[in-house]
Amino acid sequence: MSFLDHLEELRWHIIRSLGAIIVFGVVAFIMRDFVWGLLILGPTKVDFWTFRMFCKVSSSIGSDAFCFDEMPFIIQSRKMTGQFSMHIVSSAVIGLIASFPYVFWEIWRFVSPGLYDNERKLSRGAVFFVSLLFMLGVLFGYYIVTPISVNFLGNYQVDPSILNEFDITSYVSILVTLVLACGLLFQLPIVVYFLSKAGIITPSALVKYRKHAIVVILIIAALVTPPDPITQLLVTLPLLLLYQASIYISKMVVRKEAKKQATLEEENG
């Protein structure tokens, strides 16, 4: 294919991807009561699933420290276009999340023809695992990081005379940032897998620079989360676990590549 043919092919992949995002976004826009009443504003309510689980665990050990009767803050819109613009933003984000497997599949369809046959075999299942990790990250961000962050920041007061009244734009921005950031950060094992396949990184290098990686992870957690230590810790811990898992993945890849190379040498020798 010529360069222009590649551009034309890419254009149609982008159009189909945007079409899927728009379709899911329109559905989310129409289902306003469900999206906003249950999804967007869910982490601000005491009957949210995460808070109920915390209360059950707390009650099982004879304490009610993690049972909440109310959220001591309100969310309001201070701009004329605040609610409408956030309605559009939230619908677009939900459209992106819901259509992510299809969008990545379209991207993969454009990229995969340029790979060698062995590279396509090695990357078989990439769409499934990338989509799975993204969805797991989104769920972790929504059900763990977001409610704890909202609860901490909503209850934090430097003085009882200061009321917590948050703008809807600020709340939606934090929610979207945490959810999407967790979804993307959970791609770390996939990135390490392909870099190990390409010979760019090795398990020994990952172990050697583990301390440096911890510092980088702490910086990333500080950048993608609100400025509170609890939320940063919640993002840091799974990233550290994912980094450790990535070391084992890299070891597995290097071991298989070494075995394959040894087999080829025996056949040629």
Side-chain angles (χ1 to χ4, degrees):
M1 295 176 65
S2 66
F3 178 71
L4 292 178
D5 290 333
H6 279 294
L7 286 181
E8 179 66 15
E9 187 72 15
L10 176 61
R11 185 172 73 92
W12 281 107
H13 284 296
I14 294 175
I15 288 174
R16 287 191 291 268
S17 299
L18 290 176
I21 295 173
I22 291 172
V23 168
F24 281 104
V26 170
V27 173
F29 188 88
I30 295 173
M31 299 176 62
R32 181 182 62 183
D33 294 339
F34 171 78
V35 169
W36 277 87
L38 293 178
L39 294 182
I40 304 298
L41 296 177
T44 68
K45 300 177 181 179
V46 294
D47 60 349
F48 188 60
W49 180 86
T50 304
F51 298 138
R52 286 190 282 111
M53 293 302 104
F54 283 167
C55 186
K56 285 184 179 181
V57 172
S58 180
S59 299
S60 65
I61 59 176
S63 172
D64 59 352
F66 294 99
C67 295
F68 309 108
D69 297 326
E70 63 174 350
M71 291 292 182
F73 63 87
I74 62 172
I75 297 177
Q76 53 187 334
S77 179
R78 295 187 177 89
K79 297 179 180 179
M80 186 71 72
T81 59
Q83 295 195 51
F84 180 70
S85 61
M86 288 302 100
H87 191 187
I88 294 177
V89 169
S90 62
S91 300
V93 172
I94 291 174
L96 174 62
I97 293 173
S99 62
F100 180 85
Y102 176 78
V103 171
F104 186 78
W105 179 68
E106 284 287 351
I107 296 173
W108 188 250
R109 284 179 61 199
F110 177 75
V111 174
S112 59
L115 302 177
Y116 294 107
D117 290 338
N118 63 324
E119 291 174 335
R120 277 199 290 270
K121 290 180 181 179
L122 292 174
S123 58
R124 189 175 298 165
V127 175
F128 171 77
F129 287 109
V130 169
S131 301
L132 176 64
L133 287 173
F134 179 78
M135 291 304 175
L136 288 176
V138 166
L139 292 175
F140 178 80
Y142 180 73
Y143 282 105
I144 304 298
V145 179
T146 298
I148 294 177
S149 177
V150 168
N151 181 265
F152 175 80
L153 296 175
N155 282 279
Y156 190 84
Q157 287 181 298
V158 293
D159 189 87
S161 64
I162 302 175
L163 302 178
N164 283 331
E165 299 178 351
F166 306 128
D167 188 77
I168 187 174
T169 304
S170 174
Y171 171 73
V172 173
S173 297
I174 288 179
L175 174 63
V176 169
T177 300
L178 291 177
V179 169
L180 291 182
C182 288
L184 294 176
L185 291 174
F186 267 54
Q187 301 300 315
L188 179 61
I190 296 292
V191 174
V192 170
Y193 174 82
F194 283 107
L195 291 179
S196 298
K197 282 288 185 183
I200 297 175
I201 62 174
T202 61
S204 58
L206 291 174
V207 173
K208 179 180 179 181
Y209 295 104
R210 195 198 321 252
K211 293 181 180 179
H212 302 80
I214 292 174
V215 175
V216 173
I217 288 172
L218 289 170
I219 293 173
I220 293 174
L223 291 174
V224 302
T225 60
D228 70 272
I230 295 179
T231 307
Q232 293 172 11
L233 183 63
L234 286 173
V235 174
T236 300
L237 289 178
L239 284 179
L240 292 176
L241 293 176
L242 288 172
Y243 186 85
Q244 187 63 38
S246 298
I247 295 176
Y248 291 113
I249 291 172
S250 182
K251 287 181 179 179
M252 179 187 67
V253 171
V254 171
R255 193 180 300 119
K256 285 186 176 180
E257 290 296 319
K259 186 182 296 185
K260 186 185 298 183
Q261 187 65 30
T263 303
L264 289 175
E265 290 178 357
E266 289 178 2
E267 293 176 353
N268 296 330

